[in-house]
Amino acid sequence: MNEFKGYKKGVNLGGWLSQCPYKKSHYETFITKQDILDIAEKGYDHVRLPVDYEVIIDDDGSIKEKGLAYIDHAILWCKEAGLHLILDLHKTKGYTFDQPETAHAFFQEESLTDFFLEIWHILATRYGSCKWVAFELLNEIVPYDVAEDWNRIVEKTIHVIRQITKDTYIIIGGVCYNSVGTVKLLRFPKEENLVATFHCYEPFFFTHQGASWVEIIPKGFTMKYPEEFSKAKTYLAASIQEKLQKKGINEFGPDFFETLFEEAIEAADQQQVSLYCGEYGVIDTADLESTKKWIADIEQVFEHHHIGHAIWNYKGLSFGVKERALF
């Protein structure tokens, strides 16, 4: 598999310029230069910076220089600290991962695609010369049935970016919330410095237990990792259960994640692209020792296969690793 150089182990800065209060007081205090220095001191080599489009551009296409200035600061801080940075467009006009009921509009309306392309033209023009910065096109495509529409938009976006910068890493995730199982549906042009990304929160009922926004998890449900395999197995997707059965896996551990990632690793090898996990993590309502074991197991598999990764999340959003001394 191609190596994603400079992006071996990172942490997300979610909640700063995305999924956040759109206020100056928040932007100027939630993440500071000291946070970046702390991240570097802990041995991470990169950060993933989610950004909502409203921070940097108005709906009429007017650029918000004050919003872009916060990205400027982050990029400069990372350069000074010796870190790489992934600029992740977490939300665009007409599309956000947390409103699946409106998700199709982005793929159906040409004006929304054009707006998206213009965002990446702006970002590539501004940051394409920063060799320590990578571009992640869009966070978590939700609907399964837009896979080919997304491939078409990806092709156009890569073309726009490559007119400006030839060697910046470009990161693309698949449908079903960047599922590891849909990496195989991505279609990459034959060129260098392309990266397939996925997110992993499996078993979901463990990593999201107690999440108020997840309706499918029964209220009061708790489980520990790895000992409560039978309790969680019932809630795993049928496709995952089938894979585990074929492999004869009856417990959680590194082999569980090896099985989950197998097809994605093969797909990345076939298309000669790097593979990256942009999000993984455990909610702060889960048992702390179980959380540590889960992180150790998944990171062991990442490192074995040279899969770059960034844990969700540095602070806040119910997943903060800093608050739980997991940082």
Side-chain angles (χ1 to χ4, degrees), residues 247-264:
K247 295 280 187 177
I249 296 172
N250 297 305
E251 59 184 7
F252 287 124
D255 286 346
F256 171 76
F257 294 108
E258 288 276 359
T259 302
L260 285 185
F261 302 161
E262 186 176 42
E263 285 186 349

Side-chain angles (χ1 to χ4, degrees), residues 84-229:
H84 287 77
L85 179 145
I86 293 173
L87 184 54
D88 155 51
L89 189 61
H90 221 63
K91 177 182 179 183
T92 185
K93 184 179 180 181
Y95 182 82
T96 176
F97 73 98
D98 56 359
Q99 295 179 11
E101 66 277 3
T102 62
H104 282 82
F106 173 68
F107 305 93
Q108 296 169 347
E109 298 181 24
E110 187 174 351
S111 61
L112 295 176
T113 299
D114 290 342
F115 190 92
F116 177 74
L117 295 175
E118 180 57 25
I119 291 175
W120 276 111
H121 182 270
I122 293 167
L123 295 175
T125 300
R126 194 174 183 108
Y127 304 118
S129 62
C130 300
K131 303 301 182 184
W132 64 99
V133 175
F135 297 154
E136 183 173 342
L137 298 189
L138 188 58
N139 179 67
E140 294 190 346
I141 304 302
V142 178
Y144 181 84
D145 61 356
V146 301
E148 283 307 310
D149 292 317
W150 176 230
N151 280 328
R152 173 180 51 80
I153 293 171
V154 164
E155 184 178 6
K156 290 182 177 181
T157 313
I158 290 175
H159 179 74
V160 167
I161 293 172
R162 286 294 184 242
Q163 297 306 301
I164 302 165
T165 170
K166 299 297 184 184
D167 54 4
T168 299
Y169 279 114
I170 300 176
I171 306 165
I172 305 105
V175 295
C176 300
Y177 295 93
N178 277 21
S179 168
V180 68
T182 62
V183 169
K184 61 189 177 185
L185 300 180
L186 291 168
R187 189 172 62 242
F188 293 89
K190 299 295 183 183
E191 63 168 82
E192 296 183 351
N193 296 337
L194 298 180
V195 182
T197 186
F198 66 91
H199 295 172
C200 186
Y201 293 100
E202 294 292 351
F204 188 78
F205 273 61
F206 167 69
T207 64
H208 281 68
Q209 58 187 290
S212 60
W213 64 93
V214 180
E215 296 180 357
I216 61 171
I217 299 179
K219 188 175 181 180
F221 177 91
T222 62
M223 69 164 288
K224 293 185 177 181
Y225 177 97
E227 56 264 37
E228 295 190 278
F229 178 83

Side-chain angles (χ1 to χ4, degrees), residues 7-12 44 46-48 86 201 276-281 302 308-312:
Y7 301 86
K8 181 179 179 181
K9 182 178 181 179
V11 62
N12 276 271
Y44 293 89
H46 76 280
V47 298
R48 179 175 179 256
I86 293 173
Y201 293 100
Y276 175 74
C277 180
E279 292 183 21
Y280 66 101
F302 288 150
H309 47 282
I311 197 165
W312 185 270

